[in-house]
Amino acid sequence: QVQLVESGGGSVQNGGSLRLSCEVSTYTVGTMAWFRQVPGKFREGVASIDGDGTTTYVDSVKGRFTISKDNAKNRLYLQMNSLKSEESGMYFCAAARWLSRASIMDDPRGFAYWGQGTQVTVSS
């Protein structure tokens, strides 16, 4: 059974930075990703990293966000710089099944495992 626990959320001013972390119960997972959800809207992909280290970002965060992982520590990170008000929301850590790839551009159900989320609030 795979469990994911996010941390690092909080409140920052517009233009500020936050570093989100996700502790994973096992290293035997496939693609890992971060999603954002705002009340009343669908959960949207933000960034992902495949088993081979390949990263993918939604256009709106390219150049400002960086996704990374530390397999030895079973942790996934999302460094968010120059945050914007519209990027407020609940951020979820997600992972695909071991040896499987999933895409943040496709159905989020491609990710089998999910954390409970960590709240990010960007104030203008």
PDB file of all heavy atoms in Angstrom, residues 18-19 31 37:
ATOM      1  N   LEU A  18       7.646  29.162  -2.148  1.00  0.00           N
ATOM      2  CA  LEU A  18       7.358  28.074  -1.234  1.00  0.00           C
ATOM      3  C   LEU A  18       7.982  26.804  -1.782  1.00  0.00           C
ATOM      4  O   LEU A  18       8.126  26.652  -3.000  1.00  0.00           O
ATOM      5  CB  LEU A  18       5.855  27.850  -1.069  1.00  0.00           C
ATOM      6  CG  LEU A  18       5.060  28.791  -0.166  1.00  0.00           C
ATOM      7  CD1 LEU A  18       3.578  28.445  -0.260  1.00  0.00           C
ATOM      8  CD2 LEU A  18       5.540  28.686   1.275  1.00  0.00           C
ATOM      9  N   ARG A  19       8.328  25.895  -0.891  1.00  0.00           N
ATOM     10  CA  ARG A  19       8.863  24.602  -1.280  1.00  0.00           C
ATOM     11  C   ARG A  19       7.972  23.529  -0.670  1.00  0.00           C
ATOM     12  O   ARG A  19       7.919  23.374   0.550  1.00  0.00           O
ATOM     13  CB  ARG A  19      10.297  24.437  -0.793  1.00  0.00           C
ATOM     14  CG  ARG A  19      10.943  23.091  -1.143  1.00  0.00           C
ATOM     15  CD  ARG A  19      12.362  23.051  -0.604  1.00  0.00           C
ATOM     16  NE  ARG A  19      12.999  21.744  -0.690  1.00  0.00           N
ATOM     17  CZ  ARG A  19      13.635  21.287  -1.755  1.00  0.00           C
ATOM     18  NH1 ARG A  19      13.722  22.021  -2.854  1.00  0.00           N
ATOM     19  NH2 ARG A  19      14.203  20.080  -1.728  1.00  0.00           N
ATOM     20  N   THR A  31       5.662   7.500 -12.401  1.00  0.00           N
ATOM     21  CA  THR A  31       5.646   8.954 -12.520  1.00  0.00           C
ATOM     22  C   THR A  31       5.050   9.598 -11.271  1.00  0.00           C
ATOM     23  O   THR A  31       4.044   9.124 -10.744  1.00  0.00           O
ATOM     24  CB  THR A  31       4.819   9.389 -13.743  1.00  0.00           C
ATOM     25  OG1 THR A  31       5.344   8.782 -14.925  1.00  0.00           O
ATOM     26  CG2 THR A  31       4.844  10.901 -13.897  1.00  0.00           C
ATOM     27  N   GLN A  37      -5.830  22.152  -6.945  1.00  0.00           N
ATOM     28  CA  GLN A  37      -7.269  22.199  -7.054  1.00  0.00           C
ATOM     29  C   GLN A  37      -7.834  23.391  -6.293  1.00  0.00           C
ATOM     30  O   GLN A  37      -7.451  23.664  -5.162  1.00  0.00           O
ATOM     31  CB  GLN A  37      -7.900  20.909  -6.535  1.00  0.00           C
ATOM     32  CG  GLN A  37      -9.400  20.824  -6.771  1.00  0.00           C
ATOM     33  CD  GLN A  37      -9.954  19.429  -6.560  1.00  0.00           C
ATOM     34  OE1 GLN A  37      -9.424  18.653  -5.780  1.00  0.00           O
ATOM     35  NE2 GLN A  37     -11.017  19.100  -7.271  1.00  0.00           N
TER      36      GLN A  37
END
